[in-house]
Amino acid sequence: MTAALLLVALLATSWFARKRLRLDFGSGRSRAYLTVAVRQVVGFALPALVMLALAGEWRALSEMPASFAALAVSFGIEGWVTPDDGWILSIGALAGTVIGSGLAWLRWRRKRKRGPIFGELGWLLPRDRADLAWGVALSLTAGVTEELFFRLALPLLATLATGSALAGLLLAAILFAGAHWYQGWSGVVATGVMGLVFALLYLASGTLWFAIAAHIVVDLNALVIRPALTGAWRRA
């Protein structure tokens, strides 16, 4: 059963990656954004919840699995992050956002005569105010659905199948990076690193919600704040 569920998880990842590349933009960018949001729910959130239910691991939604907790202890990071540390993480995220956005704005200022720079996010990067609203929606959706899938359901199933929590989390980080290959090799490497960071944050805090919050902040920075500062807000 565990092996079968793991296979389903791998197929869900492949389906999402392939379907994202086949979007029809003829009906407009809003329709394309909505399609991606729906596919995140259908491709990640629903399979994650169904697989956790079939594997009898519903408690993992509110309580870190024992195998993950043991890995956190072996790494010596158990309890490094607590709910009381939320304000510290918020300040760090805000500082990183300000610095990164400032650098992106300066880069855009130097090259704006060549037109807006959309980077390797391609069409996903908002181009006007309407797109920014979708950027917020996609950031929230991706933060919840992808963390449920790549930081909980997929690595847990891999752990149950292989007996190694470390192998499960590493496999999930690799597949998380692969699911973003439409961003180019730099995007694959960046998302792979972020996947490991989110996994460590999950282990150190003992709760998935810290990883979800961090994921949302990263996506808001890429899909809302930076595009707004580099011209999207001024285009209707």
Side-chain angles (χ1 to χ4, degrees), residues 191-210:
T191 52
V193 172
M194 290 309 303
L196 292 175
V197 171
F198 296 150
L200 289 175
L201 186 58
Y202 177 31
L203 294 177
S205 65
T207 175
L208 188 64
W209 296 109
F210 269 98

Side-chain angles (χ1 to χ4, degrees), residues 26-108:
S27 56
R29 289 176 62 80
S30 293
R31 180 67 176 272
Y33 278 124
L34 177 61
T35 300
V36 172
V38 171
R39 287 176 182 172
Q40 284 176 328
V41 174
V42 175
F44 293 140
L46 291 182
L49 295 175
V50 170
M51 289 185 295
L52 288 174
L54 293 177
E57 296 288 346
W58 269 116
R59 293 175 58 186
L61 290 171
S62 58
E63 180 180 334
M64 176 179 282
S67 56
F68 291 176
L71 184 61
V73 172
S74 67
F75 281 171
I77 61 174
E78 182 189 25
W80 271 21
V81 180
T82 68
D84 294 336
D85 297 326
W87 67 274
I88 298 177
L89 296 177
S90 299
I91 292 176
L94 178 61
T97 296
V98 170
I99 294 172
S101 299
L103 293 174
W105 182 79
L106 290 173
R107 178 171 177 262
W108 173 75

Side-chain angles (χ1 to χ4, degrees), residues 57-224:
E57 296 288 346
W58 269 116
R59 293 175 58 186
L61 290 171
S62 58
E63 180 180 334
M64 176 179 282
S67 56
F68 291 176
L71 184 61
V73 172
S74 67
F75 281 171
I77 61 174
E78 182 189 25
W80 271 21
V81 180
T82 68
D84 294 336
D85 297 326
W87 67 274
I88 298 177
L89 296 177
S90 299
I91 292 176
L94 178 61
T97 296
V98 170
I99 294 172
S101 299
L103 293 174
W105 182 79
L106 290 173
R107 178 171 177 262
W108 173 75
R109 286 277 294 181
R110 288 196 298 268
K111 299 184 179 181
R112 62 179 177 174
K113 292 182 180 180
R114 304 178 187 176
I117 299 172
F118 299 131
E120 294 197 40
L121 283 173
W123 75 269
L124 271 176
L125 202 60
R127 300 177 181 177
D128 54 36
R129 287 194 294 273
D131 286 358
L132 289 175
W134 281 110
V136 174
L138 286 183
S139 298
L140 296 173
T141 304
V144 175
T145 61
E146 292 182 8
E147 290 307 301
L148 276 175
F149 188 86
F150 289 105
R151 240 58 65 192
L152 180 56
L154 177 57
L156 181 56
L157 289 175
T159 299
L160 294 175
T162 65
S164 171
L166 179 59
L169 289 169
L170 288 177
L171 173 64
I174 292 172
L175 293 177
F176 178 66
H180 293 79
W181 72 273
Y182 62 91
Q183 296 181 17
W185 282 110
S186 61
V188 169
V189 173
T191 52
V193 172
M194 290 309 303
L196 292 175
V197 171
F198 296 150
L200 289 175
L201 186 58
Y202 177 31
L203 294 177
S205 65
T207 175
L208 188 64
W209 296 109
F210 269 98
I212 290 175
H215 193 147
I216 290 174
V217 168
V218 170
D219 284 1
L220 285 174
N221 184 48
L223 294 175
V224 181

